[in-house]
Amino acid sequence: MNKTINPNELKPADDTGPLYAPRKKVYPQSVKGTFRRIKWGLMAFCLGVYYLLPFVRWNRGLGAPNQAVLIDLPNSRFYFFFIELWPQEVYYFTGLLIVAAVALFLMNSIGGRIWCGYLCPQTVWTDLFYAVERLIEGDRRERMKKDKSSDPMKLERISEIVLKHSIWLLIAWWTGGAWVLYFNDAPTLVKELLTFQAPMIAYIWIGILTATTYLLAGYMREQVCTYMCPWPRIQAALTDEWALNVTYRYDRGEKRTSVKKAAELRALGEHVGDCVDCYQCVAVCPTGIDIRNGPQMECIQCGLCIDACDNVMTKIGRPKRLIGYDNDINIQRRQEGKAPVYRIVRARTIVYSAIIAAVGGFMIYTLATRSLLDVNVLHDRNPVAVKLSDGSIRNAYTVRLLNKSGYDRVIAIDAHGPANATVHVIGVDSVTPDRPMIVIPRDSTSELRLLVTAPADNNPEKSIPVRFHVTDIGLGEVASATDNFVSP
Amino acid sequence: MTDHSDVDAVTGKSTTGHEWDGIKELNTPLPRWWVISFYLTIVWSIGYWVVYPAWPLIQGNTTGVFGYSSRADVAVELANLEKVRGDKMVALGAASLADIEKDPALLALARAKGKTVFGDNCAPCHGSGGAGAKGYPNLNDDEWLWGGTLDQIMQTIQYGVRSGHAKTHEGQMLAFGKDGVLKGDEIVTVANYVRSLAGLPTRNGFDAAKGEKIFAENCVACHGDGGKGNQELGAPDLTDKIWLYGSDEASLVETISQGRAGVMPAWEGRLDPATVKAMAVYVHSLGGGK
């Protein structure tokens, strides 16, 4: 290794070594800059989607809910815009989880913990709570001073604290309130909640989520990321050497000196680092770390230290991005006098993108071409086959018909299996011989007991496949399922 | 206690004093709130011991201060369920079998209830799906010893077969060999004759005329002319393909010489009338009902 500087030697971590670690309260300072703007934008977007989505309407026709996103647990339906899922289609959630997981991998391989820094609910709500705190109690220095003050019981201070917690609780309460709106018609539920007519479970969930939001975003903050969340551990296993992470470019920063001294030394033609040890990157950090110690598990990579450092660099007339999205490979390359190389397109990112495209594309395709008529067949297990008095063989099946449409259907069932076999549905007198017809009401399922009988002179010797066709008499829509016909 | 005196040279952090294969474990203590949470769980568990049944003793267990029992909870839930279902079961009990068949809601209830009760009471002999076994009729096929209409099935369930109930089905296959009515060769002959009735192959040199004569003298009374059976007596049709005790010569010889008298218990009194009705509807829906 021909490293000129070992990042580990920069500054040994403070370590007191007791049995437990007391909380070091973090007072992040406000900062302005590119990444802060991105964060505000994403926060507004995420919170906007979360709070307003339940009120978006979607016309599904008469008798169907007109809420765009609705998890209808009593009726076992899930609505997401044009998508309607039945319990039988729960595998779409598996697909969604796969896409979500691989999307996290992809984010990680491109830009590190983008999820942690910009999109995670813990980050978004903590950021919002910090904004409220800053608005009421002031920025870093003021808050530190107020917390240390020996006379905290002044009326002004008390009213500040009360106001802050009231607003926090209001946000937390509205967060819990928005959550339950996804499970019932939102405008109706809002009315019910206000008039205390809503079901108890709604109030319980609002209570739980109010408490967790208040506690996690108001008090736990970075502790959630450091001690409770498994993602920092998993992320370490997913990242690779090409991933861009928020990085202190120590090749450019070291050795640290004051602005004045740096100017003097530069005038003499000596090499000096750009870092002036102003601690702005530390002051703005929401997890209270020093990015100059190298990549750390606590770092959520929100980019605020980049903004803070850029502001300082601009002021002292040095180039921006002493802290920036970079990786160790490029720091090494620069130290060796080579140009940095950025590789977003790599085997890893191609594979992740391909998986997302394949799974997502398949899901969208199947959802768009989703059949509104479906049939599931289950063969009787005991007995698997029955011999009738005339020597013919009969198999019984439990057939479940699914009518996912918004209209009642008249359907006919045909079975194609043993030659000359007859079909009969218990409780249904067929008008057309061997083609039982029944009505399935809209948006519902019907379970039938269906018998297939093979005549004595045509008993199949072994198990043969039997295909059930279910035809909508009016529309001609067909669904089918295959099972087996067995002999005793 | 751990020894924090050792400081790791690379990170400058103290270590726990543990070392494996040259790798030292850094001392990274838990945050205070988490340590406190851990102690709170211990306190919580003590509360749990006091409030809930927790400690197994030699006989039974500690019951907790409120005497909570999950069994009691289940009993309450079941009682509530019965209350909810009560009205529907009353309607089921009041309706005639024909009415149940016509009312989709009652029919669905009867089938569901019947299926559950069948599993609890009938499956030990008739099999979980009514598949039957040797000596225990398959309820899915179309041969019925005592009749396969809804009313006949209901009657069989209510009073049983040779059950001792006053209204039970009676009638039995006599032990022609054991009682000395027929001799060995006569039994073999009539067994072959019965096989010929069902269209099954017979033994070489079997005397059909003799078989017919023995059958007419001994069997026709119950099994009818041509062995077509008699549901009044529970005498099976001997010409079809369904054989409760087997159709091979050895099985038939055993049946004729030893006799057969399977027993079905009467369910009246053991199950309430509405449940018996539900079971009749369920059995009828298995596929063999007439």
Side-chain angles (χ1 to χ4, degrees):
Chain A
M1 292 258 281
N2 49 359
K3 255 187 188 178
T4 47
I5 299 149
N6 179 352
N8 291 325
E9 286 165 2
L10 297 175
K11 197 172 186 295
D14 179 33
D15 186 48
T16 45
L19 191 60
Y20 57 81
R23 168 104 187 259
K24 287 180 204 123
K25 200 173 174 188
V26 183
Y27 296 89
Q29 190 176 306
S30 69
V31 62
K32 285 192 174 75
T34 316
F35 293 95
R36 182 64 264 186
R37 275 198 298 279
I38 294 171
K39 268 174 79 73
W40 285 133
L42 286 174
M43 185 207 274
F45 175 74
C46 293
L47 292 177
V49 167
Y50 176 73
Y51 289 123
L52 300 177
L53 199 53
F55 296 98
V56 177
R57 305 286 97 184
W58 192 264
N59 186 14
R60 290 190 183 86
L62 207 64
N66 65 347
Q67 186 157 321
V69 179
L70 180 67
I71 301 158
D72 190 355
L73 291 179
N75 298 314
S76 308
R77 299 282 184 276
F78 174 75
Y79 302 95
F80 187 81
F81 295 95
F82 78 96
I83 299 166
E84 179 190 330
L85 294 184
W86 284 40
Q88 284 85 350
E89 297 160 314
V90 76
Y91 43 76
Y92 280 112
F93 289 99
T94 315
L96 194 66
L97 287 175
I98 293 170
V99 169
V102 181
L104 276 177
F105 298 172
L106 181 64
M107 280 189 211
N108 245 301
S109 59
I110 292 173
R113 286 160 66 176
I114 293 172
W115 172 259
C116 296
Y118 303 94
L119 298 167
C120 174
Q122 175 64 21
T123 290
V124 169
W125 263 276
T126 302
D127 219 13
L128 179 66
F129 273 45
Y130 268 134
V132 171
E133 191 170 69
R134 224 172 262 135
L135 198 72
I136 294 164
E137 296 185 356
D139 211 348
R140 176 179 161 89
R141 277 168 198 283
E142 284 175 79
R143 292 208 306 277
M144 288 170 97
K145 212 170 94 188
K146 281 172 182 170
D147 275 4
K148 267 188 198 148
S149 163
S150 54
D151 182 21
M153 285 300 125
K154 273 203 244 162
L155 192 64
E156 197 188 342
R157 178 74 184 130
I158 291 170
S159 62
E160 258 184 18
I161 290 169
V162 170
L163 184 63
K164 179 179 86 174
H165 288 278
S166 305
I167 296 175
W168 277 4
L169 279 167
L170 205 69
I171 296 169
W173 169 75
W174 191 240
T175 304
W179 175 262
V180 301
L181 298 183
Y182 285 91
F183 296 85
N184 210 328
D185 183 59
T188 315
L189 190 58
V190 168
K191 206 165 131 193
E192 285 174 354
L193 285 168
L194 292 176
T195 51
F196 299 103
Q197 310 271 304
M200 184 45 77
I201 191 75
Y203 293 105
I204 292 172
W205 271 107
I206 293 174
I208 291 171
L209 287 157
T210 303
T212 49
T213 308
Y214 177 68
L215 195 70
L216 294 183
Y219 290 94
M220 300 301 289
R221 298 172 168 184
E222 82 287 346
Q223 303 265 304
V224 174
C225 312
T226 323
Y227 295 113
M228 292 164 78
C229 181
W231 186 233
R233 279 83 178 163
I234 298 167
Q235 187 271 341
L238 289 172
T239 196
D240 69 357
E241 68 273 29
W242 287 103
L244 296 176
N245 286 304
V246 174
T247 307
Y248 168 61
R249 288 163 168 153
Y250 53 85
D251 58 316
R252 208 191 108 186
E254 302 295 320
K255 297 284 189 176
R256 308 171 194 174
T257 52
S258 68
V259 183
K260 213 171 175 183
K261 207 159 187 188
E264 286 169 12
L265 288 171
R266 267 195 205 99
L268 296 172
E270 278 188 48
H271 171 80
V272 239
D274 280 342
C275 179
V276 292
D277 239 355
C278 65
Y279 281 93
Q280 280 303 296
C281 55
V282 179
V284 299
C285 181
T287 63
I289 58 158
D290 188 342
I291 190 66
R292 298 171 301 171
N293 291 340
Q296 289 148 80
M297 193 205 71
E298 291 87 345
C299 176
I300 58 167
Q301 298 186 9
C302 60
L304 293 183
C305 52
I306 304 180
D307 284 343
C309 191
D310 279 357
N311 292 343
V312 173
M313 289 299 122
T314 313
K315 262 180 217 156
I316 64 169
R318 302 295 301 166
K320 281 183 173 187
R321 298 292 147 88
L322 171 58
I323 303 172
Y325 274 94
D326 208 343
N327 58 36
D328 224 43
I329 291 177
N330 286 331
I331 295 178
Q332 306 291 330
R333 287 180 66 89
R334 278 195 297 270
Q335 283 182 335
E336 288 160 15
K338 296 179 194 162
V341 181
Y342 295 97
R343 280 195 198 148
I344 300 294
V345 183
R346 315 191 293 276
R348 182 185 287 259
T349 55
I350 291 168
V351 169
Y352 291 157
S353 306
I355 294 172
I356 293 170
V359 178
F362 181 73
M363 280 169 65
I364 289 170
Y365 170 76
T366 51
L367 282 168
T369 57
R370 173 177 179 265
S371 157
L372 295 179
L373 182 67
D374 210 349
V375 54
N376 303 147
V377 177
L378 191 67
H379 196 291
D380 257 21
R381 280 173 298 175
N382 193 15
V384 286
V386 176
K387 191 178 220 178
L388 299 184
S389 55
D390 63 357
S392 53
I393 307 291
R394 192 171 67 194
N395 280 203
Y397 305 85
T398 301
V399 174
R400 182 171 281 278
L401 298 166
L402 292 83
N403 179 7
K404 299 175 193 170
S405 71
Y407 37 84
D408 300 353
R409 288 173 187 269
V410 182
I411 62 102
I413 306 172
D414 308 278
H416 303 284
N420 305 320
T422 55
V423 188
H424 175 66
V425 173
I426 297 278
V428 175
D429 299 322
S430 305
V431 181
T432 318
D434 295 330
R435 205 171 187 232
M437 277 187 210
I438 60 150
V439 177
I440 338 174
R442 64 177 186 192
D443 198 41
S444 70
T445 68
S446 294
E447 200 178 272
L448 310 170
R449 189 170 160 76
L450 187 141
L451 311 172
V452 176
T453 311
D457 55 358
N458 223 333
N459 284 175
E461 278 176 12
K462 53 180 181 10
S463 171
I464 62 161
V466 53
R467 191 152 186 83
F468 296 93
H469 286 289
V470 173
T471 314
D472 183 315
I473 294 296
L475 299 167
E477 202 175 336
V478 178
S480 53
T482 306
D483 209 306
N484 288 299
F485 187 93
V486 278
S487 292
Chain B
M1 222 52 222
T2 51
D3 172 20
H4 303 309
S5 59
D6 191 19
V7 175
D8 177 56
V10 180
T11 58
K13 281 191 166 189
S14 69
T15 74
T16 58
H18 304 155
E19 187 180 329
W20 294 272
D21 299 336
I23 299 168
K24 287 175 185 170
E25 185 186 33
L26 294 183
N27 176 36
T28 312
L30 278 173
R32 176 161 39 198
W33 60 266
W34 214 332
V35 176
I36 292 170
S37 303
F38 173 62
Y39 291 136
L40 283 176
T41 61
I42 295 172
V43 174
W44 176 266
S45 72
I46 293 167
Y48 202 98
W49 292 340
V50 176
V51 175
Y52 285 101
W55 287 98
L57 305 174
I58 291 167
Q59 288 187 319
N61 54 286
T62 58
T63 51
V65 290
F66 299 126
Y68 169 82
S69 152
S70 53
R71 278 170 188 251
D73 270 10
V74 172
V76 169
E77 276 176 32
L78 286 176
N80 288 337
L81 195 66
E82 282 307 314
K83 214 181 277 172
V84 171
R85 287 182 179 165
D87 296 344
K88 289 179 181 170
M89 286 306 284
V90 167
L92 195 67
S96 72
L97 284 167
D99 289 343
I100 295 170
E101 288 278 296
K102 279 178 208 147
D103 182 340
L106 279 180
L107 186 63
L109 173 70
R111 282 183 185 171
K113 177 80 182 174
K115 189 176 186 177
T116 322
V117 180
F118 186 91
D120 290 347
N121 298 281
C122 317
C125 294
H126 287 286
S128 59
K134 188 180 175 183
Y136 301 99
N138 184 342
L139 304 175
N140 291 268
D141 65 27
D142 60 345
E143 179 170 27
W144 293 88
L145 294 174
W146 306 94
T149 65
L150 263 175
D151 289 315
Q152 287 170 325
I153 292 171
M154 170 114 167
Q155 194 193 357
T156 306
I157 297 169
Q158 260 180 311
Y159 309 128
V161 177
R162 295 175 276 268
S163 65
H165 190 281
K167 293 182 183 173
T168 188
H169 286 311
E170 286 291 1
Q172 61 178 324
M173 174 74 191
L174 299 171
F176 289 91
K178 208 166 80 179
D179 296 348
V181 181
L182 294 175
K183 286 194 266 313
D185 60 331
E186 288 173 323
I187 292 171
V188 173
T189 303
V190 81
N192 276 281
Y193 177 72
V194 167
R195 278 174 65 82
S196 75
L197 287 178
L200 295 165
T202 51
R203 191 193 273 214
N204 279 341
F206 136 76
D207 185 345
K210 194 181 165 198
E212 188 178 358
K213 189 165 169 279
I214 299 167
F215 190 84
E217 283 167 3
N218 298 282
C219 315
V220 166
C222 293
H223 287 285
D225 285 336
K228 283 286 182 189
N230 183 354
Q231 291 184 348
E232 291 292 312
L233 299 165
D237 184 343
L238 302 176
T239 64
D240 66 17
K241 308 285 185 195
I242 297 168
W243 296 85
L244 190 53
Y245 291 94
S247 64
D248 57 303
E249 195 193 272
S251 297
L252 282 169
V253 166
E254 190 192 330
T255 302
I256 297 164
S257 45
Q258 303 295 323
R260 299 289 184 189
V263 173
M264 153 112 172
W267 293 93
E268 192 186 58
R270 300 190 199 207
L271 298 173
D272 63 273
T275 305
V276 170
K277 240 178 230 183
M279 205 136 74
V281 170
Y282 169 69
V283 170
H284 189 256
S285 78
L286 282 175
K290 304 260 183 194

